[in-house]
Amino acid sequence: MTEPQNTNTSETPTAAQHTNSADAILRRLATRAMGLTGADIERIVREARLKARRGKRAIRYEDIEDGIRGHRPPVPYNLRWRFAFHEAGHAVVHHALDLGPVRGLNIDTGEGGYNLVGFHAWATDTRDWYENMLTMLMAGRAAEQLVLKRVSSGSGGTDDSDLARATRLAFDMERTLGFGTEHPLLYRPHRDAGAVLDRDTELANRVHAKLEAALEKAVAILKLRRSIFHALAKSLFETQAMDEAAVSGILKDVETLHESGFASVLT
């Protein structure tokens, strides 16, 4: 986002409106395109230009958005709500734990929900930080559990899923990061965490305990932030894609747990 600059010329209201409209459209397109590769975007723009050329007209915002969506049918109503609660859960917990900015949320990707978050450069790699990361990763599942009472497989299933990332992180805390429940000073590198967990039941229990604690903490945060959580989920359900400004507009009035004095409730 570009900061306003002082100039010797003044912009007319009409020109300002056009600029704001163009900026809003670009932000919406960028949010809709979250999760796509550079090659995907290049192909979409190329096809949109071809469509406009065939119609003997200028390219339109709708051409690119249609290209982003492809020929996918709309997300079913119930599934759309599940995606909205899941991603809103991640966003609210990420913000509450002051991990960094929430760049955008999207529940119309064709492959489930998607969130783009940033992390503070000044964050310290302490046990607390890693535990907060685990809590954020488990927050989508916590949101489904809290609101819908039944969780889906959306948190797992692939090597880059929430459960996979959380399991690897909890495993590393036990084996290589110096935060293990047993023998924390030992550095024990590994190539296949799954194979190690299959062999070592005690280690698997310790890793699972970390995930259970993170899930419980995420549920507690979402209960404390219930109104904001529901407001964000509702907005995401309606718009299907939200950029950083839209998300921040809902989260901005929420104090971080560190400032609110509620941190003790979660320990």
Side-chain angles (χ1 to χ4, degrees):
M1 181 176 177
T2 304
E3 293 293 329
Q5 295 179 340
N6 293 325
T7 65
N8 293 327
T9 59
S10 60
E11 193 173 32
T12 65
T14 301
Q17 275 188 344
H18 177 76
T19 299
N20 292 336
S21 177
D23 287 346
I25 288 174
L26 289 175
R27 287 197 302 271
R28 180 174 173 83
L29 286 175
T31 306
R32 285 284 184 180
M34 282 193 309
L36 297 179
T37 66
D40 290 333
I41 295 173
E42 184 178 357
R43 172 184 54 78
I44 289 167
V45 172
R46 185 169 60 249
E47 291 175 353
R49 284 175 174 166
L50 180 60
K51 180 179 180 181
R53 193 177 301 119
R54 286 173 176 169
K56 297 180 180 180
R57 57 172 173 78
I59 190 170
R60 297 170 182 163
Y61 153 72
E62 291 83 1
D63 297 328
I64 297 179
E65 184 170 38
D66 288 345
I68 292 172
R69 291 209 78 257
H71 300 290
R72 291 183 283 107
V75 179
Y77 181 87
N78 290 343
L79 191 57
R80 190 166 151 189
W81 268 119
R82 183 175 292 276
F83 289 166
F85 281 120
H86 186 105
E87 300 307 330
H90 282 302
V92 169
V93 171
H94 187 87
H95 177 82
L97 293 173
D98 197 23
L99 290 172
V102 179
R103 302 295 188 193
L105 304 173
N106 192 339
I107 59 171
D108 188 30
T109 67
E111 298 180 359
Y114 184 87
N115 64 78
L116 184 63
V117 296
F119 297 92
H120 295 310
W122 44 259
T124 307
D125 293 349
T126 61
R127 180 194 294 270
D128 287 345
W129 188 86
Y130 282 107
E131 289 178 348
N132 286 344
M133 278 291 297
L134 283 177
T135 302
M136 185 274 291
L137 288 170
M138 299 300 291
R141 186 181 181 92
E144 292 187 31
Q145 177 179 308
L146 180 63
V147 179
L148 304 174
K149 308 307 178 185
R150 294 181 180 179
V151 298
S152 68
S153 62
S155 294
T158 62
D159 287 341
D160 62 347
S161 65
D162 297 336
L163 287 182
R165 293 166 62 198
T167 299
R168 285 195 298 269
L169 182 55
F171 182 85
D172 286 341
M173 290 176 70
E174 284 288 334
R175 298 269 300 193
T176 66
L177 295 174
F179 303 125
T181 307
E182 296 183 6
H183 311 301
L185 300 183
L186 292 182
Y187 173 76
R188 292 163 290 179
H190 54 85
R191 291 185 178 180
D192 188 344
V196 176
L197 291 172
D198 285 340
R199 293 193 305 268
D200 191 336
T201 304
E202 291 186 5
L203 174 62
N205 288 337
R206 295 199 300 274
V207 169
H208 193 262
K210 280 180 164 54
L211 300 181
E212 286 184 318
L215 180 65
E216 183 179 349
K217 183 175 178 180
V219 169
I221 292 172
L222 293 175
K223 285 181 177 179
L224 286 172
R225 301 291 187 268
R226 189 183 295 270
S227 61
I228 297 296
F229 167 46
H230 281 266
L232 183 60
K234 181 176 184 294
S235 181
L236 183 57
F237 174 84
E238 292 171 349
T239 62
Q240 299 188 71
M242 300 174 67
D243 62 14
E244 183 173 357
V247 176
S248 297
I250 295 176
L251 297 178
K252 66 181 180 180
D253 293 330
V254 185
E255 294 179 337
T256 65
L257 293 181
H258 304 295
E259 296 169 343
S260 66
F262 288 121
S264 59
V265 176
L266 306 175
T267 58

